[in-house]
Amino acid sequence: MKMSRLVAFSSSLLLGAALALTGAGVANADSSAAAVDYVALGDSYSSGVGAGSYDGSSCKRSSRAYPALWAAANSPSSFDFAACSGARTNDVTGSQLGKLNASTDLVSISIGGNDAGFADVMTTCVLQSEATCLNRIATARAYVDSTLPGRLDSVYSAIRSKAPSARVVVLGYPRFYQLGGSCIAGLSEKERTAINGASDHLNTATAKRAADHGFTFGDVRTTFTGHEICSGNSWLHSVNWLNIGESYHPTAAGQSGGYLPVFKSAL
């Protein structure tokens, strides 16, 4: 099975590290890395919006996004970067699965935030009253409970059908705010707490659906702890009125320090 190639790749990294102590075996590690066929799917958190260094397409794929960073470091035999800014579950099934096949060894994906209305939630909370913000968050949570699981099932089933031997890693979303942090203006603490809670709610639902399909869930909340907005060392953009699309997305440091280690540890 093609899955054995990914297992061999992981094993070769350990072997390569041991052999490096004796000055041998480097070529073997590189050879196994080249055997992996990798496809990166998903939304703006996977395409790298907020990290800069974009490819010029409307999808805003960044060379600083975690899929591109992993591919640059490991030189897989093939790398298809299909993740796209603004993608919802139906965009993945409709336009991102073309490169998946029986030879695909590794797939990564973040998806669901746009289905749940992430952008509208944040716009509502920034521009309208606290009560309106909290109501919009409640609506998003209800969607996550009632509708999103079925949409995730459709995506995950389609991935497995097209890439039956692939290791699939589903990446979640960070909490946006450090509560009791350094922010002295903007949203209220109640709003920040509710937004963080909604992120947790989305991650819980996503992790459950991923597990039920035999996929690995990568929880980035751990690596982003201490690097949320209001932390003084944020790996997330706050509102950026000059480039509104990058608001509430990971910076380059968020991709390399927040997402990449979680993806690597899931392999």
Side-chain angles (χ1 to χ4, degrees):
M1 292 179 62
K2 292 298 299 297
M3 182 61 199
S4 63
R5 299 200 316 184
L6 187 57
V7 173
F9 167 54
S10 300
S11 299
S12 73
L13 293 181
L14 297 175
L15 177 61
L19 293 176
L21 296 176
T22 63
V26 174
N28 289 339
D30 291 342
S31 175
S32 295
V36 175
D37 295 315
Y38 171 35
V39 180
L41 309 171
D43 56 21
S44 54
Y45 280 70
S46 288
S47 73
V49 170
S53 189
Y54 304 122
D55 63 0
S57 74
S58 60
C59 286
K60 289 196 171 181
R61 300 183 185 104
S62 171
S63 61
R64 298 169 182 165
Y66 75 86
L69 294 174
W70 188 90
N74 292 280
S75 301
S77 58
S78 67
F79 171 50
D80 186 71
F81 198 1
C84 189
S85 175
R88 300 187 180 197
T89 49
N90 62 341
D91 295 310
V92 174
T93 54
S95 62
Q96 292 189 18
L97 304 184
K99 294 295 183 179
L100 293 181
N101 55 57
S103 297
T104 304
D105 300 290
L106 178 61
V107 177
S108 65
I109 183 170
S110 62
I111 201 68
N114 290 318
D115 293 75
F118 151 78
D120 187 58
V121 166
M122 298 313 300
T123 300
T124 299
C125 290
V126 169
L127 298 179
Q128 300 190 43
S129 69
E130 179 182 277
T132 303
C133 169
L134 297 178
N135 285 336
R136 182 63 184 88
I137 292 170
T139 299
R141 290 176 66 109
Y143 180 92
V144 170
D145 290 335
S146 64
T147 306
L148 185 62
R151 292 185 179 275
L152 292 176
D153 281 339
S154 295
V155 172
Y156 298 161
S157 294
I159 291 171
R160 179 53 72 217
S161 176
K162 289 181 172 291
S165 300
R167 176 69 176 266
V168 181
V169 181
V170 177
L171 282 301
Y173 300 94
R175 295 187 184 104
F176 288 168
Y177 294 101
Q178 183 179 91
L179 302 179
S182 60
C183 294
I184 58 175
L187 302 184
S188 69
E189 199 75 347
K190 190 172 183 179
E191 289 172 306
R192 292 174 185 142
T193 300
I195 289 168
N196 282 357
S199 177
D200 289 342
H201 198 64
L202 175 57
N203 280 311
T204 297
T206 304
K208 172 90 169 50
R209 301 320 307 141
D212 286 351
H213 286 263
F215 299 166
T216 300
F217 180 73
D219 192 344
V220 300
R221 290 172 293 182
T222 54
T223 48
F224 274 89
T225 297
H227 298 287
E228 308 95 334
I229 299 167
C230 304
S231 67
N233 185 24
S234 179
W235 287 352
L236 291 158
H237 294 281
S238 187
V239 178
N240 182 352
W241 297 111
L242 298 179
N243 191 341
I244 201 68
E246 293 194 340
S247 301
Y248 303 105
H249 284 83
T251 63
Q255 288 287 337
S256 63
Y259 270 89
L260 181 61
V262 173
F263 179 51
K264 289 168 63 177
S265 69
L267 302 181

